[in-house]
Amino acid sequence: MPASEASAERPRADVVIEEIDGASSKEAFLSAPDKEIHGQFLHRVQQMLLDHAFQSTHRESKVTRYVDPDRLREIIDMNLRKEPASEEALLSYIRDTMKYSVKTGHPFFVNQLFSSLDPYALAGAWVTDSLNPSVYTYEVSPVLTLMEESVLKEMRSIVGWSDGDGIFAPGGSIANGYAISCARFHKIPDIKAKGLHGLPRLVLFTSEDAHYSIKKLAAFEGLGSDNVYPVKTDARGKMDVLHLRELVQRAKAEGAVPFMVSATSGTTVLGAFDPLEAIHEVCEEEGMWLHVDAAWGGGALVSKKYRHLLRGIEKADSVTWNPHKMLAAPQQCSTLLTKHKTILAECHSASAQYLFQKDKFYDTSFDTGDKHIQCGRRADVFKFWLMWKAKGTDGLEKHVNRVYENAEYFTEKIRRRPGFKLVLEEPECTNVTFWYVPPSIRGRDNEPEYNQKLHKVAPLIKERMTREGTMLMTYQPLKELPNFFRLVIQNSALTTSDMDYIVSEFERLGRNL
Amino acid sequence: MPASEASAERPRADVVIEEIDGASSKEAFLSAPDKEIHGQFLHRVQQMLLDHAFQSTHRESKVTRYVDPDRLREIIDMNLRKEPASEEALLSYIRDTMKYSVKTGHPFFVNQLFSSLDPYALAGAWVTDSLNPSVYTYEVSPVLTLMEESVLKEMRSIVGWSDGDGIFAPGGSIANGYAISCARFHKIPDIKAKGLHGLPRLVLFTSEDAHYSIKKLAAFEGLGSDNVYPVKTDARGKMDVLHLRELVQRAKAEGAVPFMVSATSGTTVLGAFDPLEAIHEVCEEEGMWLHVDAAWGGGALVSKKYRHLLRGIEKADSVTWNPHKMLAAPQQCSTLLTKHKTILAECHSASAQYLFQKDKFYDTSFDTGDKHIQCGRRADVFKFWLMWKAKGTDGLEKHVNRVYENAEYFTEKIRRRPGFKLVLEEPECTNVTFWYVPPSIRGRDNEPEYNQKLHKVAPLIKERMTREGTMLMTYQPLKELPNFFRLVIQNSALTTSDMDYIVSEFERLGRNL
């Protein structure tokens, strides 16, 4: 039966829209873009987007235009109303939303473990929105399913695995949660059906500098945050393997079952890389799953120069790696990779017959959704795939080398500069942590109130940079250390001149403190 | 200190880019869009997007161009390579990705509980991508934080609560997971730190027709899928409250602790609404948390005509409601709402000092990220907020009434039509489930092999519609019922003529079976 026969029967949009209740397609509640009605609106939005994309990354523009919440509610009418807004009003909401949002693609947005605005990735994100897909079956997302397969396979290959499995997750925290889920299922497969009830207490280990998601997800998954035993770190922020061994023995003596170590490659604050080979030895001896949270530091794997920092990662059972961090893909793009080929499906499948029908006409192994704890799932792959195509793996490597060069330049620059003090003398990642010591307390580090005074400096400088909009960089305390700043470089459009600017900006913001 | 002083010191992009190692900004690995270099590329992509948005929703175009995975890999070179691809190659990847992706905005994509392509929401999604935000602190996402507050407050108000809390979640499954997490924490706050170890067995109840995420998340959260007790449904697919009472007593007799009922408003297959008031009574008596999974049916709340279907929802403790389903926001836009003001934060917070500093200069109650199990989190709010502004709440109501009218029209049309048989005589939601009985077996329902034969019809028709690309509608079995089709209407651009088309298309596809 030719398809043309069907086409002949199809109602034409412009005719039928007006048939029903005298409604016209101009009605605001109809959800389908029409060239005549919405063409100009969408075109104007696109023009605003182009302007914004180019301007928001310019050094001459502000990183942020801070206003207090009450004032912001006056500027943008946040309330939702019964009546539709005009297109002019909508355009002004878009304009103001852009104006008062933080420019995360700006070179001086160095506040988080994500930043930058890659033009090819941005194009990929726009395309994804236009497709409005959900990735769970080949039938509904054929292209994106194969792209996920390709990206995850290539990432596993970079980790060092010729086989295995992987998934995209909505962020590194949930990717770490998947690892915990796989690890305990690997130990006790009955957990899926029976739960933790009646089992011995299960304990996992991670360093005290690890990301908070390990505790958060352990609580969410019913293990309890107390059953994440914090392993001490050494002076460089790396997991102390002797202490890990002690804690494992302690847990066993308590009658608990150690089942997992979550090592970190690139800790959130200091950028430390845990010693994976030594940790793997402990895991082997004790029958524990080795997970590596390389959400941040995983990017170094694409660089011949820096991948040694993750030596031994191929011995891990699972790896969290977020391309939206060091590789500068857009938020969000997170993966959980594992060398175990079937565990993600075994551990998480529910085999719902209304979505994963087995009597389809094609090979249903391409219906990958049942590995996930999400059902409907936004596609995070295309933007990254397109960016990877645009740069090539060589381009990703150059990108990583460049961000390292900038971080190293910055470190050297402040190493002996008056008023600056490094927290780590030799940072291993592209986070550089430091105190800015204002003139008023400089050289007084033997005085009793020094640390309290220094602790208050960072919030003050942060307030000034935020209100002026000249830069955004985060600060935090760490254990007994007073507040210090953390520069994070993952935007390769930055240059050594930008590093110079950041130094001088601290001196300007802090000089009268 | 005037900001202008700082500006003077800022390096100019066009100068500094060329300073470092002789690198030029043309290098593919630099992540910042430049008007001169990327302007034309991004502009061409935007033009393709406009064309795609307008064409892909036209009835004359195909819903899908199905090709097998091997063939698709020949058409699009999925592999990632060392070398960068040319811009022309990138544009052709985009073109082919659009061409071979399923047109989820097409009127005849009636396959899932999401569809359509709202032009204002699409604009909002594009804007979000350009901002590339992460929503966790006011400092980094001021505008989007206030928009989330506003949308969640308005949705709670529609549910019937004047107070409470809410969050955006990456899909309804994880929203349901949050509800389970809150429910058990509410019962036993110690669970967060101590976990389930040493506790009595905890049991939750949901109907056998509930979404599979309840079991999936119960397993993920360490409760075990066996501890989700399936409550029988009646002939209309609604939870049998007498059976619920029996199961609660059985669980107690077993020494287990019943802690939660997850009722459903709009089940996945049949679109049934559980009797919330009667279920609430049981929850009250037994001290159980009442969750309502209204991911799909929640949209009916905005309609004066249909909100009675969720009568009693204001008595619930928590509600999952996905605007990306019946309200036709883009994938993905899911919320978990609760009438308990502090539980989301108490249950999920980890108070990481490097993200949620308490010594900031502004009111840190606006740093809402610690309620979530995600850390970095994509903004799903703006597209929905902008769409809501564009339509007004009145427009949302008209939208819901329209999709109901179409579903009712379709139901009446097939009720007595030869070859069609309704699964539910009186569907309550906009899913209409039915068998198409081809001429060869029509009237033979007393013959022994009838059900087996009918079971095989749906996969065959599905294959034909997929290969021809004239429509996409899903089928599934349910308990002892053979495969049947499920029409889902949530695109208000559809008309009664489209309903006529769908009926005739079944007759065309199935007539020689």
Side-chain angles (χ1 to χ4, degrees), chain A residues 425-460:
Chain A
E425 283 299 314
E426 301 290 345
E428 289 185 313
C429 202
T430 63
N431 355 11
V432 187
T433 48
F434 62 91
W435 289 277
Y436 177 74
V437 187
S440 63
I441 57 167
R442 213 169 281 172
R444 301 190 175 189
D445 41 330
N446 293 325
E447 292 181 12
E449 309 263 286
Y450 177 81
N451 268 0
Q452 284 105 302
K453 283 179 182 161
L454 186 57
H455 188 66
K456 288 178 182 157
V457 168
L460 283 171

Side-chain angles (χ1 to χ4, degrees), chain B residues 127-394:
Chain B
V127 171
T128 305
D129 288 333
S130 309
L131 298 175
N132 194 27
S134 180
V135 195
Y136 33 37
T137 62
Y138 184 80
E139 162 189 336
V140 170
S141 277
V143 182
L144 300 169
T145 297
L146 297 188
M147 278 176 188
E148 287 196 346
E149 177 188 69
S150 175
V151 168
L152 293 167
K153 187 177 164 206
E154 194 63 28
M155 290 177 76
R156 283 199 305 275
S157 158
I158 292 171
V159 166
W161 298 330
S162 58
D163 206 351
D165 201 1
I167 49 178
F168 282 79
S173 293
I174 292 181
N176 284 337
Y178 274 115
I180 295 171
S181 170
C182 287
R184 70 182 182 191
F185 176 82
H186 187 70
K187 192 90 180 174
I188 307 170
D190 245 13
I191 278 183
K192 183 179 176 182
K194 302 292 176 196
L196 298 165
H197 173 71
L199 290 181
R201 186 161 56 87
L202 299 182
V203 172
L204 67 153
F205 305 85
T206 198
S207 94
E208 53 192 359
D209 283 3
H211 190 257
Y212 71 87
S213 56
I214 302 295
K215 272 195 165 187
K216 200 170 244 206
L217 271 290
F220 190 74
E221 295 177 42
L223 296 161
S225 53
D226 285 357
N227 293 312
V228 180
Y229 282 21
V231 186
K232 283 184 199 157
T233 50
D234 66 17
R236 302 181 69 191
K238 293 167 180 285
M239 185 186 283
D240 173 345
V241 182
L242 281 180
H243 189 233
L244 169 65
R245 287 186 181 276
E246 273 176 49
L247 286 181
V248 171
Q249 296 315 315
R250 185 187 305 170
K252 286 161 73 177
E254 292 163 355
V257 175
F259 76 103
M260 175 184 190
V261 177
S262 180
T264 310
S265 292
T267 57
T268 310
V269 177
L270 298 177
F273 290 82
D274 286 342
L276 302 182
E277 293 195 315
I279 295 169
H280 174 254
E281 254 178 54
V282 182
C283 288
E284 277 263 288
E285 288 167 28
E286 302 289 348
M288 295 187 289
W289 180 280
L290 174 55
H291 174 63
V292 179
D293 179 357
W296 168 226
L301 288 168
V302 302
S303 164
K304 284 182 280 297
K305 188 169 176 192
Y306 296 100
R307 71 167 285 142
H308 68 89
L309 294 164
L310 300 98
R311 187 171 292 134
I313 194 167
E314 71 285 354
K315 294 178 181 166
D317 295 287
S318 58
V319 170
T320 291
W321 181 3
N322 291 4
H324 76 239
K325 292 197 163 80
M326 198 184 288
L327 296 183
Q331 274 279 11
Q332 104 180 93
C333 188
S334 300
T335 66
L336 187 275
L337 310 168
T338 171
K339 72 173 166 207
H340 301 270
K341 199 172 172 59
T342 57
I343 197 162
L344 280 164
E346 285 167 12
C347 178
H348 301 115
S349 64
S351 306
Q353 286 184 303
Y354 47 82
L355 187 55
F356 303 110
Q357 304 90 340
K358 291 296 174 198
D359 52 1
K360 285 179 183 171
F361 67 92
Y362 63 81
D363 175 0
T364 55
S365 72
F366 288 96
D367 291 354
T368 54
D370 210 15
K371 295 176 196 177
H372 297 254
I373 57 168
Q374 298 178 276
C375 178
R377 184 167 59 85
R378 240 194 140 266
D380 291 328
V381 68
F382 186 65
K383 57 196 176 193
F384 180 45
W385 181 89
L386 194 72
M387 178 184 123
W388 196 334
K389 281 282 195 186
K391 293 172 188 288
T393 311
D394 284 350

Side-chain angles (χ1 to χ4, degrees), chain A residues 10 59 79 129 139 462, chain B residues 10 59 129 139 462:
Chain A
R10 293 191 192 198
R59 287 161 181 80
N79 294 324
D129 289 332
E139 163 189 336
K462 178 66 180 267
Chain B
R10 294 190 190 197
R59 287 162 180 79
D129 288 333
E139 162 189 336
K462 179 66 180 266

Side-chain angles (χ1 to χ4, degrees), chain A residues 1 9-11 13 16 19 23 28-31 33 46 49 59 61 66-69 73 77-79 81-82 84-85 87 102 104 111-112 114 117 120 125-126 129-132 136 138-140 149-150 170 173 184 192-197 199 201 212 216 219-222 224-226 331-332 348 352 354 357 359 361-362 370 372-376 378 385 389-395 402 462-463 467 470 474-475 483 492 497-498 504 508, chain B residues 1 9-11 13 19 23 28-31 33 46 49 59 61 66-69 73 77-79 81-82 84-85 87 102 104 111-112 114 117 120 125-126 129-132 136 138-140 149-150 170 173 184 192-197 199 201 212 216 219-222 224-226 331-332 348 352 354 357 359 361-362 370 372-376 378 385 389-395 402 462-463 467 470 474-475 483 492 497-498 504 508:
Chain A
M1 192 163 313
E9 292 179 30
R10 293 191 192 198
V16 296
E19 272 177 18
F29 71 93
L30 294 174
S31 294
Q46 287 191 332
L49 292 174
R59 287 161 181 80
S61 67
Y66 181 85
V67 291
D68 283 318
R73 287 199 197 93
D77 173 19
M78 297 286 171
N79 294 324
R81 305 187 182 283
K82 273 173 71 65
E87 291 207 342
V102 172
T104 63
N111 200 65
Q112 313 285 161
F114 80 98
L117 186 65
Y120 302 103
W126 286 342
D129 289 332
S130 308
L131 298 175
N132 194 28
Y136 32 37
Y138 185 79
E139 163 189 336
V140 170
E149 177 188 71
S150 175
S173 292
R184 71 182 182 190
K192 183 179 177 183
K194 302 292 175 197
L196 298 165
H197 173 72
L199 291 180
R201 186 161 57 88
Y212 72 86
K216 201 170 244 208
F220 190 74
E221 295 177 41
S225 53
D226 285 357
Q331 274 277 13
Q332 86 190 109
H348 300 115
Y354 47 82
Q357 304 90 337
D359 51 2
F361 68 91
Y362 62 81
D370 210 16
H372 297 255
I373 57 168
Q374 298 177 276
C375 176
R378 241 195 139 266
W385 180 89
K389 281 282 194 186
K391 293 172 188 287
T393 311
D394 283 351
R402 170 69 59 88
K462 178 66 180 267
E463 175 171 3
R467 289 196 187 278
T470 54
T474 203
Y475 69 85
N483 279 324
S492 53
S497 304
D498 292 322
S504 67
R508 187 184 73 81
Chain B
M1 191 162 312
E9 291 179 30
R10 294 190 190 197
E19 272 180 15
F29 72 93
L30 295 174
S31 294
Q46 287 191 333
L49 293 175
R59 287 162 180 79
S61 67
Y66 181 85
V67 291
D68 283 318
R73 286 199 196 94
D77 173 19
M78 297 286 170
N79 295 325
R81 306 186 181 283
K82 273 173 68 69
E87 291 207 343
V102 172
T104 64
N111 201 67
Q112 313 284 161
F114 80 98
L117 186 66
Y120 303 103
W126 286 341
D129 288 333
S130 309
L131 298 175
N132 194 27
Y136 33 37
Y138 184 80
E139 162 189 336
V140 170
E149 177 188 69
S150 175
S173 293
R184 70 182 182 191
K192 183 179 176 182
K194 302 292 176 196
L196 298 165
H197 173 71
L199 290 181
R201 186 161 56 87
Y212 71 87
K216 200 170 244 206
F220 190 74
E221 295 177 42
S225 53
D226 285 357
Q331 274 279 11
Q332 104 180 93
H348 301 115
Y354 47 82
Q357 304 90 340
D359 52 1
F361 67 92
Y362 63 81
D370 210 15
H372 297 254
I373 57 168
Q374 298 178 276
C375 178
R378 240 194 140 266
W385 181 89
K389 281 282 195 186
K391 293 172 188 288
T393 311
D394 284 350
R402 170 69 59 89
K462 179 66 180 266
E463 175 171 2
R467 291 198 186 277
T470 54
T474 203
Y475 69 86
N483 279 324
S492 53
S497 304
D498 293 322
S504 67
R508 186 184 72 81

Side-chain angles (χ1 to χ4, degrees), chain A residues 72-138:
Chain A
L72 189 50
R73 287 199 197 93
E74 287 168 14
I75 296 169
I76 303 179
D77 173 19
M78 297 286 171
N79 294 324
L80 299 153
R81 305 187 182 283
K82 273 173 71 65
E83 301 75 24
S86 69
E87 291 207 342
E88 285 311 312
L90 297 175
L91 290 168
S92 85
Y93 294 140
I94 292 174
R95 200 172 297 116
D96 286 337
T97 296
M98 287 174 167
K99 183 171 174 185
Y100 290 96
S101 285
V102 172
K103 310 300 177 290
T104 63
H106 194 290
F108 305 141
F109 178 78
V110 287
N111 200 65
Q112 313 285 161
L113 299 178
F114 80 98
S115 70
S116 87
L117 186 65
D118 183 83
Y120 302 103
L122 176 61
W126 286 342
V127 171
T128 306
D129 289 332
S130 308
L131 298 175
N132 194 28
S134 180
V135 195
Y136 32 37
T137 61
Y138 185 79

